[in-house]
Coordinates of all heavy atoms in Angstrom, one line a residue:
M17 N -10.5 -18.0 5.6 CA -9.6 -17.2 4.9 C -8.5 -18.0 4.3 O -7.8 -18.7 4.9 CB -9.1 -16.1 5.8 CG -8.2 -15.2 5.0 SD -7.5 -13.8 6.1 CE -6.5 -14.7 7.2
T18 N -8.3 -17.9 3.0 CA -7.3 -18.5 2.2 C -6.0 -17.5 2.3 O -6.2 -16.5 2.1 CB -7.7 -18.8 0.8 OG1 -8.9 -19.5 0.8 CG2 -6.6 -19.5 0.0
Y19 N -4.9 -18.2 2.6 CA -3.7 -17.4 2.7 C -3.3 -16.9 1.3 O -3.3 -17.7 0.3 CB -2.5 -18.3 3.2 CG -1.2 -17.5 3.3 CD1 -1.0 -16.7 4.2 CD2 -0.2 -17.8 2.3 CE1 0.3 -16.0 4.3 CE2 1.0 -17.1 2.3 CZ 1.2 -16.2 3.3 OH 2.5 -15.6 3.4
N20 N -2.9 -15.6 1.1 CA -2.5 -15.1 -0.1 C -1.1 -14.6 0.0 O -0.8 -13.6 0.7 CB -3.5 -14.0 -0.6 CG -3.1 -13.6 -2.0 OD1 -2.1 -13.6 -2.5 ND2 -4.1 -12.8 -2.6
P21 N -0.1 -15.3 -0.6 CA 1.2 -14.9 -0.4 C 1.6 -13.6 -1.0 O 2.6 -12.9 -0.7 CB 2.1 -16.0 -1.2 CG 1.1 -16.6 -2.1 CD -0.3 -16.4 -1.6
V22 N 0.7 -12.9 -1.8 CA 1.0 -11.6 -2.4 C 1.1 -10.6 -1.3 O 1.9 -9.7 -1.2 CB -0.1 -11.2 -3.4 CG1 0.0 -9.8 -3.8 CG2 0.0 -12.1 -4.6
Y23 N 0.3 -10.8 -0.2 CA 0.3 -9.8 0.9 C 1.2 -10.1 2.1 O 1.4 -9.3 3.0 CB -1.2 -9.6 1.4 CG -2.0 -9.1 0.3 CD1 -2.9 -9.9 -0.4 CD2 -1.9 -7.7 -0.1 CE1 -3.7 -9.3 -1.4 CE2 -2.7 -7.3 -1.2 CZ -3.5 -8.1 -1.8 OH -4.3 -7.7 -2.8
G24 N 1.6 -11.3 2.2 CA 2.6 -11.7 3.3 C 1.7 -12.0 4.5 O 0.6 -11.8 4.6
P25 N 2.3 -12.6 5.6 CA 1.6 -13.2 6.7 C 0.9 -12.1 7.5 O 0.0 -12.4 8.2 CB 2.6 -14.0 7.4 CG 4.0 -13.4 7.1 CD 3.7 -12.9 5.6
A26 N 1.4 -10.9 7.5 CA 0.9 -9.9 8.4 C -0.1 -9.0 7.8 O -0.5 -8.0 8.3 CB 2.0 -9.0 9.1
A27 N -0.5 -9.3 6.5 CA -1.4 -8.4 5.8 C -2.4 -9.1 5.0 O -2.7 -8.8 3.8 CB -0.6 -7.5 4.9
Q28 N -3.0 -10.1 5.6 CA -4.0 -10.9 4.9 C -5.4 -10.3 4.9 O -6.2 -10.6 3.9 CB -4.1 -12.3 5.6 CG -2.9 -13.2 5.3 CD -2.6 -13.4 3.8 OE1 -3.5 -14.0 3.1 NE2 -1.5 -13.0 3.3
T29 N -5.8 -9.5 5.8 CA -7.0 -8.9 5.9 C -7.0 -7.4 5.7 O -5.9 -6.9 5.6 CB -7.8 -9.1 7.2 OG1 -7.0 -8.4 8.3 CG2 -7.8 -10.6 7.6
C30 N -8.1 -6.8 5.3 CA -8.2 -5.4 5.1 C -7.7 -4.6 6.2 O -6.9 -3.6 6.2 CB -9.6 -4.9 4.8 SG -10.2 -5.5 3.2
E31 N -8.0 -5.1 7.4 CA -7.6 -4.4 8.7 C -6.1 -4.5 8.9 O -5.4 -3.6 9.4 CB -8.4 -5.0 10.0 CG -9.8 -4.8 10.0 CD -10.6 -5.7 9.1 OE1 -10.1 -6.7 8.6 OE2 -11.8 -5.5 8.9
Q32 N -5.6 -5.7 8.6 CA -4.1 -5.9 8.7 C -3.4 -5.0 7.7 O -2.4 -4.3 8.0 CB -3.7 -7.3 8.5 CG -4.2 -8.3 9.7 CD -4.0 -9.7 9.4 OE1 -4.1 -10.1 8.2 NE2 -3.6 -10.5 10.4
R33 N -3.9 -4.9 6.5 CA -3.2 -4.1 5.4 C -3.3 -2.6 5.8 O -2.4 -1.9 5.6 CB -3.9 -4.3 4.1 CG -3.4 -5.7 3.4 CD -3.9 -5.8 2.0 NE -5.3 -6.0 1.9 CZ -6.0 -7.1 2.1 NH1 -5.3 -8.2 2.3 NH2 -7.2 -7.1 1.9
A34 N -4.4 -2.2 6.4 CA -4.5 -0.8 6.9 C -3.5 -0.5 8.0 O -2.8 0.5 8.0 CB -6.0 -0.5 7.4
R35 N -3.3 -1.5 8.8 CA -2.2 -1.3 9.9 C -0.9 -1.3 9.3 O 0.0 -0.5 9.6 CB -2.4 -2.4 10.9 CG -1.4 -2.4 12.1 CD -1.7 -1.2 13.0 NE -0.7 -1.2 14.0 CZ -0.1 -0.2 14.4 NH1 -0.4 1.1 14.0 NH2 0.8 -0.2 15.4
V36 N -0.6 -2.2 8.3 CA 0.7 -2.2 7.6 C 0.9 -0.8 7.0 O 2.0 -0.2 7.1 CB 0.8 -3.3 6.7 CG1 2.1 -3.2 5.7 CG2 0.9 -4.6 7.4
L37 N 0.0 -0.3 6.3 CA 0.1 1.0 5.7 C 0.3 2.1 6.7 O 1.2 3.0 6.5 CB -1.2 1.3 4.8 CG -1.2 2.7 4.2 CD1 0.0 2.8 3.1 CD2 -2.5 2.9 3.4
Q38 N -0.4 2.1 7.8 CA -0.2 3.1 8.8 C 1.2 3.0 9.4 O 1.9 4.0 9.6 CB -1.2 2.7 9.9 CG -1.3 3.8 11.0 CD -2.3 3.4 12.0 OE1 -2.4 2.3 12.5 NE2 -3.2 4.3 12.4
Q39 N 1.7 1.9 9.6 CA 3.1 1.7 10.1 C 4.1 2.2 9.1 O 5.1 2.8 9.5 CB 3.3 0.2 10.4 CG 2.7 -0.3 11.6 CD 2.8 -1.7 11.9 OE1 3.1 -2.5 10.9 NE2 2.7 -2.3 13.1
M40 N 3.9 1.8 7.8 CA 4.7 2.4 6.8 C 4.8 4.0 6.7 O 5.8 4.5 6.5 CB 4.5 1.8 5.4 CG 5.0 0.4 5.3 SD 4.8 -0.3 3.7 CE 3.2 -0.3 3.4
Q41 N 3.6 4.5 6.8 CA 3.4 6.0 6.7 C 4.1 6.6 8.1 O 4.8 7.7 7.9 CB 2.0 6.4 6.8 CG 1.4 6.1 5.3 CD -0.1 6.3 5.3 OE1 -0.7 6.2 6.3 NE2 -0.4 6.8 4.1
A42 N 4.1 5.9 9.2 CA 4.8 6.4 10.4 C 6.2 6.4 10.3 O 7.0 7.2 10.7 CB 4.3 5.6 11.6
T43 N 6.7 5.3 9.6 CA 8.1 5.1 9.4 C 8.7 6.0 8.3 O 9.8 6.5 8.3 CB 8.4 3.6 9.0 OG1 7.9 2.8 10.1 CG2 9.9 3.4 8.8
F44 N 7.9 6.1 7.2 CA 8.3 6.9 6.1 C 7.3 8.1 5.9 O 6.4 8.0 5.1 CB 8.4 6.1 4.8 CG 9.3 4.9 4.9 CD1 8.8 3.7 5.1 CD2 10.7 5.1 4.8 CE1 9.7 2.7 5.2 CE2 11.5 4.0 4.9 CZ 11.0 2.8 5.1
P45 N 7.4 9.2 6.6 CA 6.4 10.2 6.6 C 6.1 10.8 5.2 O 5.0 11.3 5.0 CB 6.9 11.3 7.5 CG 7.9 10.6 8.3 CD 8.4 9.5 7.6
K46 N 7.0 10.7 4.3 CA 6.8 11.2 3.0 C 5.6 10.4 2.2 O 4.9 10.9 1.4 CB 8.1 10.9 2.1 CG 8.0 11.5 0.7 CD 9.4 11.3 0.0 CE 9.3 11.6 -1.4 NZ 10.5 11.4 -2.1
L47 N 5.5 9.2 2.7 CA 4.3 8.4 2.1 C 2.9 9.1 2.5 O 1.9 8.9 1.8 CB 4.3 6.9 2.5 CG 5.3 6.0 2.1 CD1 5.2 4.7 2.8 CD2 5.2 5.8 0.6
R48 N 2.9 9.7 3.6 CA 1.7 10.3 4.1 C 1.5 11.8 3.8 O 0.6 12.2 3.2 CB 1.6 10.2 5.7 CG 0.3 10.7 6.2 CD 0.3 10.7 7.7 NE 1.4 11.6 8.3 CZ 2.3 11.1 9.1 NH1 2.5 9.9 9.2 NH2 3.3 11.9 9.5
T49 N 2.7 12.6 4.0 CA 2.6 13.9 3.7 C 2.4 14.5 2.3 O 1.9 15.5 2.0 CB 3.7 14.7 4.4 OG1 5.0 14.2 3.9 CG2 3.7 14.5 5.9
K50 N 3.1 13.7 1.4 CA 3.0 14.0 0.1 C 2.1 13.2 -0.8 O 2.2 13.1 -2.0 CB 4.5 13.9 -0.5 CG 5.4 14.9 0.2 CD 6.6 15.2 -0.6 CE 7.4 16.3 0.1 NZ 8.1 17.0 -0.7
A51 N 1.1 12.6 -0.1 CA 0.2 11.6 -0.8 C -0.8 12.5 -1.6 O -1.6 13.2 -1.2 CB -0.5 10.8 0.2
S52 N -0.6 12.3 -2.9 CA -1.5 12.9 -3.9 C -2.8 12.2 -3.9 O -3.0 11.0 -3.2 CB -0.9 13.0 -5.3 OG -0.8 11.6 -5.8
A53 N -3.7 12.7 -4.7 CA -5.0 12.0 -4.8 C -4.7 10.6 -5.5 O -5.4 9.6 -5.0 CB -5.8 12.7 -5.7
V54 N -3.8 10.5 -6.4 CA -3.5 9.2 -7.0 C -2.9 8.2 -5.9 O -3.3 7.1 -5.9 CB -2.5 9.4 -8.2 CG1 -2.0 8.0 -8.8 CG2 -3.1 10.2 -9.4
A55 N -2.0 8.7 -5.2 CA -1.4 7.9 -4.1 C -2.5 7.4 -3.2 O -2.5 6.2 -2.7 CB -0.3 8.6 -3.3
S56 N -3.4 8.3 -2.7 CA -4.5 8.0 -1.9 C -5.3 6.9 -2.4 O -5.8 5.9 -1.6 CB -5.3 9.2 -1.5 OG -4.5 10.1 -0.8
Q57 N -5.7 7.0 -3.7 CA -6.5 5.9 -4.3 C -5.8 4.6 -4.4 O -6.3 3.6 -4.1 CB -6.9 6.4 -5.8 CG -7.8 7.5 -5.9 CD -8.1 8.0 -7.2 OE1 -7.3 7.7 -8.1 NE2 -9.1 8.7 -7.4
L58 N -4.5 4.7 -4.6 CA -3.6 3.4 -4.7 C -3.6 2.8 -3.3 O -3.8 1.6 -3.1 CB -2.3 3.6 -5.2 CG -2.2 4.0 -6.7 CD1 -0.8 4.5 -7.1 CD2 -2.6 2.8 -7.6
Y59 N -3.4 3.6 -2.3 CA -3.4 3.0 -0.9 C -4.7 2.4 -0.6 O -4.7 1.4 0.1 CB -3.1 4.2 0.1 CG -1.7 4.8 -0.1 CD1 -1.5 6.0 0.5 CD2 -0.6 4.2 -0.6 CE1 -0.3 6.6 0.4 CE2 0.6 4.7 -0.8 CZ 0.8 6.0 -0.2 OH 2.0 6.6 -0.3
A60 N -5.8 3.0 -0.9 CA -7.1 2.5 -0.7 C -7.3 1.2 -1.3 O -7.9 0.2 -0.8 CB -8.3 3.5 -1.0
R61 N -6.8 1.0 -2.6 CA -6.9 -0.2 -3.3 C -6.1 -1.3 -2.8 O -6.4 -2.4 -2.7 CB -6.6 0.1 -4.8 CG -7.6 0.9 -5.5 CD -7.3 1.0 -6.9 NE -7.5 -0.3 -7.6 CZ -6.9 -0.5 -8.9 NH1 -6.3 0.4 -9.6 NH2 -7.0 -1.8 -9.4
Y62 N -4.9 -1.0 -2.1 CA -4.1 -1.8 -1.4 C -4.8 -2.4 -0.1 O -4.9 -3.6 0.0 CB -2.7 -1.3 -1.1 CG -2.0 -2.0 0.0 CD1 -1.3 -3.1 -0.3 CD2 -1.9 -1.6 1.4 CE1 -0.6 -4.0 0.6 CE2 -1.2 -2.3 2.3 CZ -0.6 -3.5 1.9 OH 0.1 -4.2 2.8
V63 N -5.3 -1.5 0.7 CA -6.1 -1.9 1.8 C -7.3 -2.8 1.4 O -7.5 -3.8 2.1 CB -6.5 -0.7 2.6 CG1 -7.5 -1.1 3.8 CG2 -5.4 0.1 3.1
A64 N -7.9 -2.5 0.3 CA -9.1 -3.2 0.0 C -8.7 -4.6 -0.6 O -9.5 -5.4 -0.8 CB -9.9 -2.6 -1.1
G65 N -7.4 -4.9 -0.9 CA -6.9 -6.1 -1.4 C -6.9 -6.2 -2.9 O -6.7 -7.2 -3.5
E66 N -7.2 -5.1 -3.6 CA -7.2 -5.0 -5.0 C -5.8 -5.0 -5.7 O -5.5 -5.4 -6.8 CB -7.9 -3.9 -5.5 CG -9.3 -3.8 -5.1 CD -10.0 -2.5 -5.5 OE1 -9.5 -1.8 -6.4 OE2 -11.2 -2.3 -5.0
L67 N -4.8 -4.5 -4.9 CA -3.4 -4.3 -5.3 C -2.5 -4.8 -4.3 O -2.7 -4.6 -3.1 CB -3.1 -2.8 -5.6 CG -3.9 -2.2 -6.8 CD1 -3.5 -0.7 -6.7 CD2 -3.6 -2.8 -8.1
S68 N -1.4 -5.4 -4.6 CA -0.3 -5.7 -3.8 C 0.6 -4.4 -3.5 O 0.4 -3.5 -4.2 CB 0.7 -6.8 -4.3 OG 1.4 -6.3 -5.4
W69 N 1.4 -4.5 -2.5 CA 2.2 -3.3 -2.3 C 3.2 -3.1 -3.4 O 3.5 -1.9 -3.8 CB 3.0 -3.5 -0.9 CG 3.7 -2.1 -0.6 CD1 5.1 -2.0 -0.6 CD2 3.1 -0.9 -0.3 NE1 5.4 -0.6 -0.4 CE2 4.2 0.1 -0.2 CE3 1.9 -0.4 -0.1 CZ2 4.0 1.4 0.2 CZ3 1.7 0.9 0.2 CH2 2.7 1.7 0.3
L70 N 3.7 -4.1 -4.0 CA 4.6 -4.0 -5.2 C 3.8 -3.2 -6.3 O 4.3 -2.4 -6.9 CB 4.9 -5.4 -5.6 CG 5.9 -5.4 -6.8 CD1 7.2 -4.6 -6.6 CD2 6.3 -6.9 -7.2
Q71 N 2.5 -3.6 -6.6 CA 1.9 -2.9 -7.6 C 1.6 -1.4 -7.2 O 1.7 -0.6 -8.2 CB 0.5 -3.6 -7.8 CG 0.6 -4.9 -8.4 CD -0.7 -5.8 -8.4 OE1 -1.4 -5.9 -7.4 NE2 -1.0 -6.3 -9.5
V72 N 1.3 -1.2 -5.9 CA 1.2 0.3 -5.6 C 2.5 0.9 -5.8 O 2.5 2.1 -6.4 CB 0.8 0.3 -4.1 CG1 0.9 1.8 -3.6 CG2 -0.5 -0.3 -3.8
R73 N 3.7 0.4 -5.5 CA 4.9 1.1 -5.6 C 5.3 1.3 -7.1 O 5.7 2.4 -7.5 CB 6.0 0.3 -4.9 CG 6.0 0.4 -3.5 CD 6.2 1.8 -2.9 NE 7.2 2.7 -3.6 CZ 7.1 4.1 -3.6 NH1 6.1 4.7 -3.0 NH2 7.9 4.6 -4.3
Q74 N 5.0 0.3 -7.9 CA 5.2 0.4 -9.4 C 4.3 1.5 -10.0 O 4.8 2.3 -10.8 CB 4.9 -0.9 -10.1 CG 6.0 -1.9 -9.7 CD 5.6 -3.3 -10.3 OE1 4.5 -3.7 -10.5 NE2 6.7 -4.2 -10.4
A75 N 3.1 1.6 -9.5 CA 2.2 2.7 -10.1 C 2.7 4.0 -9.6 O 2.7 5.1 -10.3 CB 0.8 2.4 -9.6
L76 N 3.1 4.2 -8.4 CA 3.6 5.4 -7.9 C 4.8 5.9 -8.5 O 5.0 7.0 -8.9 CB 3.8 5.4 -6.4 CG 2.6 5.4 -5.5 CD1 3.0 5.0 -4.1 CD2 1.8 6.6 -5.6
D77 N 5.7 4.9 -8.8 CA 7.1 5.2 -9.4 C 6.7 5.7 -10.9 O 7.3 6.7 -11.4 CB 8.0 4.0 -9.5 CG 8.5 3.6 -8.2 OD1 8.4 4.5 -7.2 OD2 9.1 2.5 -8.0
A78 N 5.7 4.9 -11.6 CA 5.4 5.4 -12.9 C 4.8 6.8 -13.0 O 5.0 7.5 -13.9 CB 4.4 4.4 -13.5
A79 N 4.0 7.1 -12.0 CA 3.3 8.4 -11.9 C 4.4 9.5 -11.7 O 4.2 10.6 -12.2 CB 2.2 8.4 -10.8
M80 N 5.4 9.2 -10.9 CA 6.4 10.2 -10.6 C 7.3 10.4 -11.9 O 7.9 11.6 -11.9 CB 7.3 9.7 -9.4 CG 6.5 9.7 -8.2 SD 7.5 9.1 -6.7 CE 8.5 10.5 -6.4
K81 N 7.4 9.6 -12.8 CA 8.2 9.7 -13.9 C 7.6 10.6 -15.0 O 8.2 11.1 -15.9 CB 8.5 8.4 -14.5 CG 9.5 7.6 -13.7 CD 9.8 6.3 -14.4 CE 10.8 5.5 -13.5 NZ 11.1 4.2 -14.1
R82 N 6.2 10.8 -14.9 CA 5.4 11.7 -15.8 C 5.8 13.1 -15.6 O 6.1 13.6 -14.7 CB 4.0 11.5 -15.7 CG 3.6 10.0 -16.1 CD 2.1 9.9 -15.9 NE 1.8 8.4 -15.9 CZ 0.7 8.0 -15.4 NH1 -0.3 8.8 -15.0 NH2 0.5 6.7 -15.3

């Protein structure tokens, strides 16, 4: 596995990113309870390694402005 600095040291694999997302949702319940279909898709893409967390947040912020 090649290290990808986009995800940081604790989120290099899908399993690690899923755990990071789970921890963030536990810390910030709003991430979980108000997750729309768009947010759920973005979270899935983060876990799959298609998006960084920064890209997820930017997409969510843009969606909230609409």
Side-chain angles (χ1 to χ4, degrees):
M17 173 178 71
T18 304
Y19 178 79
N20 187 338
V22 169
Y23 298 106
Q28 291 296 303
T29 67
C30 292
E31 293 82 11
Q32 290 173 326
R33 286 187 291 276
R35 179 69 180 136
V36 167
L37 178 60
Q38 186 179 49
Q39 289 173 331
M40 285 192 290
Q41 288 175 327
T43 303
F44 304 102
K46 184 178 176 183
L47 289 176
R48 182 184 64 244
T49 57
K50 297 198 179 209
S52 66
V54 171
S56 295
Q57 290 174 345
L58 291 168
Y59 296 159
R61 291 183 66 195
Y62 166 74
V63 171
E66 297 173 16
L67 298 174
S68 68
W69 185 251
L70 177 60
Q71 292 169 314
V72 170
R73 287 303 319 157
Q74 289 172 337
L76 288 173
D77 290 345
M80 292 176 76
K81 290 181 181 177
R82 293 182 203 160

